[in-house]
Amino acid sequence: MEAIEVKQEGFVGSIILDNPKKLNALSHDLVDGVIAALAKFAAGDVRAVILRSRPGVKVWSAGHDVSELPEGRRDPLGWDDPLRNLVRTIETHPCPVIAQIEGGVWGGAVETVLACDIVIATPESTFAVTPARLGVPYNVSGMMTFMSAGSLRLVKELAFTAAPMAAERAERIGMINHVVPADSIAGFTQAMAERIANNAPLSIRVMKEQLRVLAGAKPVSPRGFEKVQGLRRVVYDSHDYAEGIRAFKEKRPPQFIGK
Ligand code: LCV
């Protein structure tokens, strides 16, 4: 079951997240469906993609499917994790991907949205970066996705508080492109997608890849990378990581002890 709907109208493709039972959590199934849809669009003549939920949802996506996270002693966000594959697929997709947001965006879904090229959200939308809430050691390229969306101070506030940020503030600080009322967001997003699709696709494809390469060009020494990976291992081997996952599954507040 792929838990998505895929459509194409002219040169505009749409991927609609549709697993309300799990609040569009980024499960293997749902991510495989989105990646397959993007591959189909890339092989066809789609020149702009809209990634959205059903209209009127309270939760755009609840983020990584916590039931699919390891309970400890294994990197929860390794190279082949579905969320990592999804973010890389969006970033390297040959045409612009526009995120159309309604409702709450949580955890890895915030990174997924920020990996999109353009983000349009309703005023009621919120964005919550949640590793600290679960005790998860976020991964290096994921932190770079957040850093490319706002100032270091903003990323620290989002990451350390795990508090939802309102769309209006996210727009004001440049983290998202537009805030549009729920009753007109679909038309607004479709019009932008069509405007993009009427421009030169090869020129846009090159500019998207240039910006990805340039934005991702951060000097990280092998020693620096190894140090970060070592710190992350301490976290995913910790009591607090296992406690965060267990507490979520047992629907109780986590008792973090700092080790
Ligand atoms: C699996 C879920 C989820 C879910 N997975 O409805 O960024 S990192 O590092 O943290 C990364 C690892 C990551 O993305 O982790 C996940 C981060 N996501 C969150 O922290 C959001 C967790 N969800 C919530 O806080 C609430 O579900 C929200 C506020 C989104 C919605 O609350 P609401 O009261 O409307 P429920 O909490 O009752 O959830 C409905 C069902 O969806 C499941 C949840 O366990 C419940 O299942 P049952 O009906 O079986 O009880 N669910 C929600 N989120 N991420 N399953």
Side-chain angles (χ1 to χ4, degrees):
M1 192 270 282
E2 284 180 342
I4 61 166
E5 183 188 346
V6 182
K7 288 193 300 191
Q8 180 174 349
E9 291 159 56
F11 292 129
V12 175
S14 288
I15 300 172
I16 299 142
L17 306 181
D18 192 20
N19 186 6
K21 257 189 356 10
K22 287 210 96 171
L23 303 175
N24 294 337
L26 301 177
S27 62
H28 266 95
D29 265 358
L30 184 139
V31 168
D32 286 351
V34 175
I35 289 176
L38 286 171
K40 193 173 121 214
F41 288 159
D45 59 355
V46 166
R47 296 181 182 176
V49 176
I50 297 171
L51 178 62
R52 65 178 175 84
S53 65
R54 288 275 175 233
V57 292
K58 290 275 169 288
V59 178
W60 191 83
S61 170
H64 204 298
D65 186 334
V66 176
S67 65
E68 292 181 359
L69 284 172
E71 298 214 343
R73 306 220 171 279
R74 196 159 58 79
D75 188 337
L77 295 172
W79 176 260
D80 257 340
D81 173 82
L83 170 63
R84 308 306 336 136
N85 283 325
L86 178 58
V87 167
R88 287 196 297 269
T89 304
I90 291 171
E91 287 174 339
T92 55
H93 188 70
C95 76
V97 179
I98 306 172
Q100 178 184 314
I101 307 298
E102 293 193 48
V105 184
W106 296 84
V110 173
E111 190 197 348
T112 302
V113 166
L114 295 179
C116 294
D117 300 288
I118 295 168
V119 182
I120 301 167
T122 62
E124 301 75 22
S125 302
T126 58
F127 303 87
V129 174
T130 53
R133 194 178 184 220
L134 282 171
V136 167
Y138 217 72
N139 67 306
V140 176
S141 59
M143 293 313 279
M144 272 177 49
T145 309
F146 293 131
M147 284 171 67
S148 66
S151 72
L152 198 52
R153 211 165 300 289
L154 166 82
V155 175
K156 288 181 179 181
E157 179 186 333
L158 280 167
F160 299 164
T161 65
M165 174 183 283
E168 306 279 3
R169 179 168 180 223
E171 185 202 26
R172 195 168 59 247
I173 54 179
M175 195 173 102
I176 67 174
N177 300 74
H178 296 277
V179 174
V180 177
D183 60 4
S184 47
I185 192 169
F188 182 95
T189 307
Q190 182 68 22
M192 183 179 285
E194 286 169 5
R195 183 185 178 97
I196 291 170
N198 290 330
N199 287 333
L202 292 182
S203 166
I204 291 172
R205 178 175 189 164
V206 163
M207 287 191 283
K208 174 171 175 175
E209 183 59 6
Q210 280 169 334
L211 291 167
R212 184 187 72 81
V213 169
L214 292 170
K218 301 268 188 299
V220 178
S221 71
R223 283 234 170 98
F225 181 75
E226 283 166 4
K227 179 172 183 233
V228 167
Q229 285 299 89
L231 290 172
R232 293 190 60 246
R233 182 179 194 121
V234 170
V235 177
Y236 63 72
D237 276 354
S238 70
H239 159 277
D240 278 1
Y241 171 77
E243 164 61 11
I245 301 295
R246 229 185 352 259
F248 179 84
K249 291 179 178 176
E250 294 167 6
K251 301 184 187 298
R252 60 176 173 77
Q255 303 300 321
F256 293 131
I257 59 172
K259 54 185 174 193

